[in-house]
Amino acid sequence: MNNSFFSKFTPKEPKFFPLLKGIVEVIKSASYLMLEFVEKGNHANAADYYKKIKDEERKGDTLSNKIFDELNATFITPFDREDIHNLATKMDDVTDYINSAAKKVFLYNPKEMPAAAKDMVELIIEASAQIEKAVNELDVLKKSRKRVSDYCRELHLIENRADDVYEHFLIDLFENQKESIELIKKKEIMFELEKATDAAEGVGKIIKTIIVKYA
Amino acid sequence: MNNSFFSKFTPKEPKFFPLLKGIVEVIKSASYLMLEFVEKGNHANAADYYKKIKDEERKGDTLSNKIFDELNATFITPFDREDIHNLATKMDDVTDYINSAAKKVFLYNPKEMPAAAKDMVELIIEASAQIEKAVNELDVLKKSRKRVSDYCRELHLIENRADDVYEHFLIDLFENQKESIELIKKKEIMFELEKATDAAEGVGKIIKTIIVKYA
Amino acid sequence: MNNSFFSKFTPKEPKFFPLLKGIVEVIKSASYLMLEFVEKGNHANAADYYKKIKDEERKGDTLSNKIFDELNATFITPFDREDIHNLATKMDDVTDYINSAAKKVFLYNPKEMPAAAKDMVELIIEASAQIEKAVNELDVLKKSRKRVSDYCRELHLIENRADDVYEHFLIDLFENQKESIELIKKKEIMFELEKATDAAEGVGKIIKTIIVKYA
């Protein structure tokens, strides 16, 4: 824990790290629930899936708020504060976008899921695995600098693949979906899912900034 | 006025407070005009209602700009500056969203108003009443801490009700509105109105932060 | 170069200025490509035009990133840093919106371009000419204060004209475009183009702030 990002406020401030790990768990739970929703969702169970994902999103909010309260109550430099704040906020964004996608599935009630939704959610799951690995090594950043940089690069590559999935989805949608209301539904659902992978890449960018500063 | 948020720059800087009250007036006028628009709007008078609401929005901009100019010209700590800036900006957002809704009614010319628009605008009016009460006590925050916190909580509850209204609106819309262009029109108009209640809740959050810091 | 915004870090830091001029070139290239795309685009060449505009957008990103790296590596006050950062970011936004518009033309494959697209792109080109003139005089701001202010006012007037174009486009679209999927396509393409003129006005606002502070 020496010379690391988190060592500065450890053991005085050991709380951020478990809270960030908690947010990782939330992202993972929400992603896996979303995968199930995309695979098994129907008009009968949609409200239920949405509720479960919303619960995760609220858990994430609670954890973020705890981090913000800790940050306000703790004496650390504003710079560190901002980095942790940004990291927690961006991690939370991943869950927020998953939640928005689930909400739109529930509210819009599309006749069928967009075919590309499964591919997209699998990319979100891949991304959350990279976020988990990166966050797990944040407290030994000096030693793990190279590895954590790799996870961040991986997040960038996943987002590129998500862009491809989204572009192909849109081309196909505008070519083949002739019912305009179904088109709107699918387009907006996929938009939120794609945003989740953007946010995951954003997490990687923030971690890279932290590496540059502290490792 | 002792030991309060505003006492720090009073009487040296007594201008922020009346300017903020001015923005409250703008929010109120815009909300009531929007209610009339929603109730009595038709193809003949839409341009007129939109113009009136746009005038309010411009008044709000002028007031915000005055606040920003004052902030730049005044010696106060950056922290205070940021709080007032954020508060004025977020208050202005409420009017901006009302204005966007009015603009879309005018430009899109829907066959009829979304039925839920009236409910939503009434929630905006309720929210602006809470904002008014909170802003009126900002200069005696030490004494009114409890009451102002209650107004902020109320803003949060109003936004929850607005979420419900919006969700039911969407479910109903996607189930029953078969003309897709009308669906787009109504959806976007209601989206802006819902955003206005989000912004009103945001005003509450900023005031809560101010309470924590100064009261 | 005396007493000016850029003289502070010149000749120690002469790099920002050429980098900003590079971003201007990118905006101009992207705008002219977009004009060609709007005038001559068809299903056969859309991918090609999009690719060329995307290349410009990437060039802009590279230049912005260089500016950010320089800013981080350079000792200048945080205030200056923020101004240059904001300026580069907002200039980049202009290209980003042009790129988004081009992307949507490519992905959505509309039956025809919105008729107003040409007018809008011509306004973007006018705006980039004003940005160019303003950036070219940033290093002699003391002497050119009046002229640069005029360019910024011009950017504001261009954005007003863009608003008018966009409003008339929307009124016409919702009145006459009966195919809802085509309506969605045209609406979203024009939305991105209009945002480009917003961003250009934003560039003017940032430059005005710089004038107030340094000239």
Side-chain angles (χ1 to χ4, degrees):
Chain A
M1 279 269 219
N2 262 348
N3 284 325
S4 82
F5 177 54
F6 278 90
S7 66
K8 295 195 183 174
F9 31 95
T10 309
K12 234 178 24 203
E13 293 311 325
K15 289 159 202 155
F16 299 112
F17 198 50
L19 289 170
L20 288 173
K21 287 190 175 187
I23 300 185
V24 169
E25 287 308 312
V26 164
I27 297 174
K28 283 171 60 190
S29 306
S31 318
Y32 280 105
L33 282 165
M34 192 69 210
L35 184 64
E36 236 186 274
F37 194 4
V38 159
E39 289 179 329
K40 303 181 191 166
N42 56 47
H43 303 185
N45 62 23
D48 198 45
Y49 275 116
Y50 169 48
K51 199 198 154 306
K52 279 182 192 162
I53 290 167
K54 197 178 177 62
D55 285 347
E56 292 301 322
E57 187 255 352
R58 281 187 180 145
K59 257 188 237 169
D61 277 355
T62 309
L63 289 165
S64 294
N65 285 333
K66 271 190 196 159
I67 288 181
F68 305 152
D69 291 347
E70 294 277 342
L71 285 172
N72 283 324
T74 309
F75 177 77
I76 51 168
T77 68
F79 220 36
D80 296 336
R81 193 194 305 276
E82 205 187 302
D83 290 324
I84 301 172
H85 187 284
N86 288 346
L87 179 58
T89 302
K90 191 59 90 180
M91 285 169 67
D92 228 24
D93 284 350
V94 181
T95 317
D96 284 351
Y97 285 117
I98 298 171
N99 181 57
S100 296
K103 185 174 180 172
K104 289 193 166 172
V105 176
F106 164 59
L107 295 176
Y108 293 4
N109 194 13
K111 288 182 189 162
E112 63 193 9
M113 288 282 177
K118 187 164 175 285
D119 296 339
M120 197 61 103
V121 177
E122 278 168 352
L123 286 171
I124 298 171
I125 289 175
E126 275 190 54
S128 46
Q130 300 298 325
I131 292 175
E132 180 173 35
K133 286 193 276 187
V135 168
N136 280 345
E137 305 208 33
L138 269 188
D139 61 342
V140 289
L141 212 45
K142 269 265 158 171
K143 284 188 228 159
S144 59
R145 186 196 166 109
K146 171 74 180 59
R147 269 195 310 275
V148 175
S149 296
D150 287 345
Y151 306 144
C152 296
R153 185 172 17 256
E154 200 57 45
L155 286 167
H156 174 65
L157 296 174
I158 290 169
E159 160 35 40
N160 281 353
R161 286 158 60 202
D163 272 352
D164 281 348
V165 168
Y166 188 57
E167 293 196 3
H168 284 104
F169 157 75
L170 283 175
I171 291 173
D172 177 65
L173 185 77
F174 278 105
E175 214 174 294
N176 299 313
Q177 177 58 263
K178 300 303 176 199
E179 277 181 73
S180 54
I181 296 181
E182 286 307 302
L183 179 142
I184 293 169
K185 291 174 179 180
K186 288 179 178 172
K187 181 167 172 292
E188 289 198 17
I189 291 164
M190 285 294 289
F191 177 83
E192 302 293 344
L193 292 177
E194 202 275 332
K195 281 281 176 195
T197 67
D198 276 354
E201 185 191 26
V203 171
K205 280 184 188 166
I206 292 167
I207 292 176
K208 265 165 62 182
T209 315
I210 292 172
I211 292 177
V212 170
K213 283 194 208 158
Y214 305 96
Chain B
M1 279 268 220
N2 261 347
N3 283 325
S4 82
F5 175 53
F6 278 90
S7 67
K8 296 196 181 174
F9 31 96
T10 310
K12 233 178 27 201
E13 294 310 325
K15 292 159 201 156
F16 299 111
F17 198 50
L19 289 170
L20 288 173
K21 287 190 174 186
I23 299 185
V24 169
E25 288 309 312
V26 164
I27 297 175
K28 283 170 61 190
S29 306
S31 318
Y32 280 105
L33 281 167
M34 192 69 210
L35 185 64
E36 237 186 274
F37 194 4
V38 160
E39 290 179 329
K40 303 181 191 166
N42 56 46
H43 303 186
N45 62 21
D48 198 45
Y49 276 117
Y50 169 47
K51 199 199 154 307
K52 279 182 193 162
I53 290 168
K54 196 177 179 62
D55 284 347
E56 291 301 322
E57 187 254 350
R58 282 188 180 143
K59 258 189 237 168
D61 277 354
T62 308
L63 290 165
S64 294
N65 286 332
K66 271 190 196 158
I67 288 181
F68 305 151
D69 290 347
E70 294 278 341
L71 285 172
N72 284 323
T74 309
F75 178 77
I76 51 168
T77 69
F79 220 34
D80 296 336
R81 193 194 304 276
E82 206 188 301
D83 289 324
I84 301 172
H85 187 284
N86 288 345
L87 179 57
T89 302
K90 191 59 88 181
M91 285 169 68
D92 228 24
D93 284 350
V94 181
T95 317
D96 285 350
Y97 285 117
I98 297 170
N99 181 58
S100 295
K103 185 175 180 172
K104 288 192 167 171
V105 176
F106 164 59
L107 295 176
Y108 294 4
N109 194 12
K111 288 182 190 163
E112 62 193 10
M113 288 282 177
K118 186 163 176 284
D119 297 339
M120 197 62 101
V121 177
E122 278 168 351
L123 287 170
I124 298 171
I125 289 175
E126 276 191 52
S128 46
Q130 299 299 323
I131 292 175
E132 180 172 37
K133 287 193 278 186
V135 167
N136 280 344
E137 305 209 33
L138 269 187
D139 62 342
V140 289
L141 211 45
K142 270 264 156 169
K143 284 188 228 160
S144 59
R145 186 197 165 106
K146 170 76 180 59
R147 269 195 310 276
V148 175
S149 296
D150 286 345
Y151 307 144
C152 296
R153 188 176 11 261
E154 201 55 45
L155 286 167
H156 174 65
L157 296 174
I158 291 169
E159 159 34 44
N160 281 353
R161 286 158 60 203
D163 272 351
D164 280 349
V165 168
Y166 188 57
E167 293 196 4
H168 284 103
F169 157 75
L170 283 175
I171 291 174
D172 177 64
L173 184 77
F174 277 105
E175 215 174 293
N176 299 315
Q177 178 58 263
K178 299 304 177 199
E179 277 181 73
S180 54
I181 295 181
E182 286 306 302
L183 179 142
I184 293 169
K185 291 174 180 180
K186 288 180 178 171
K187 183 167 171 292
E188 290 197 18
I189 292 163
M190 285 294 288
F191 177 82
E192 302 293 344
L193 292 176
E194 202 275 331
K195 280 281 176 194
T197 66
D198 277 353
E201 185 191 26
V203 171
K205 280 184 189 168
I206 292 167
I207 293 175
K208 264 165 63 184
T209 314
I210 292 172
I211 293 177
V212 170
K213 283 194 209 161
Y214 305 97
Chain C
M1 278 267 222
N2 262 348
N3 283 327
S4 82
F5 176 53
F6 277 90
S7 66
K8 295 195 182 174
F9 31 97
T10 308
K12 233 179 27 203
E13 295 310 325
K15 291 160 201 155
F16 298 112
F17 198 50
L19 288 169
L20 289 173
K21 288 189 174 188
I23 299 185
V24 168
E25 287 309 312
V26 164
I27 297 175
K28 283 171 60 190
S29 306
S31 318
Y32 279 105
L33 282 166
M34 193 69 209
L35 185 64
E36 236 187 273
F37 194 4
V38 159
E39 290 179 329
K40 303 181 190 164
N42 56 46
H43 304 187
N45 62 22
D48 198 45
Y49 274 117
Y50 170 47
K51 199 200 153 305
K52 279 183 192 162
I53 290 168
K54 197 177 177 60
D55 285 346
E56 291 302 322
E57 187 255 352
R58 281 187 182 144
K59 258 189 237 169
D61 277 354
T62 307
L63 289 165
S64 294
N65 286 332
K66 271 190 197 160
I67 288 181
F68 305 152
D69 290 347
E70 295 278 341
L71 286 171
N72 284 324
T74 308
F75 177 77
I76 51 168
T77 69
F79 220 35
D80 296 337
R81 194 194 304 278
E82 206 187 301
D83 290 323
I84 301 172
H85 187 286
N86 288 345
L87 179 58
T89 302
K90 191 59 88 180
M91 285 169 67
D92 228 24
D93 284 351
V94 180
T95 317
D96 284 351
Y97 285 117
I98 297 170
N99 181 57
S100 295
K103 185 175 179 171
K104 289 193 167 170
V105 176
F106 164 59
L107 295 176
Y108 293 4
N109 194 13
K111 288 181 191 163
E112 62 192 11
M113 287 282 176
K118 186 164 176 285
D119 297 338
M120 197 61 101
V121 177
E122 278 168 353
L123 288 170
I124 298 171
I125 289 175
E126 276 191 53
S128 45
Q130 300 298 325
I131 292 175
E132 181 173 35
K133 287 193 276 187
V135 167
N136 280 345
E137 304 207 34
L138 270 187
D139 61 343
V140 289
L141 211 46
K142 270 264 158 174
K143 285 188 228 160
S144 58
R145 187 197 165 106
K146 170 74 179 60
R147 269 194 311 275
V148 175
S149 296
D150 287 345
Y151 307 144
C152 296
R153 186 173 17 256
E154 201 54 47
L155 285 168
H156 174 65
L157 296 174
I158 292 169
E159 168 20 54
N160 281 354
R161 285 158 60 202
D163 272 352
D164 281 350
V165 169
Y166 188 56
E167 293 196 3
H168 284 104
F169 158 75
L170 283 175
I171 291 174
D172 176 65
L173 185 78
F174 278 105
E175 215 173 294
N176 299 315
Q177 178 58 262
K178 299 303 177 199
E179 277 181 73
S180 55
I181 295 182
E182 286 307 303
L183 179 142
I184 293 169
K185 291 174 181 181
K186 288 180 178 172
K187 182 166 172 293
E188 290 197 16
I189 292 163
M190 285 294 288
F191 177 83
E192 302 292 344
L193 291 176
E194 201 275 332
K195 280 281 175 194
T197 66
D198 277 353
E201 184 191 27
V203 171
K205 281 184 188 167
I206 291 167
I207 292 176
K208 265 165 63 183
T209 316
I210 291 173
I211 292 176
V212 171
K213 283 193 209 160
Y214 305 97

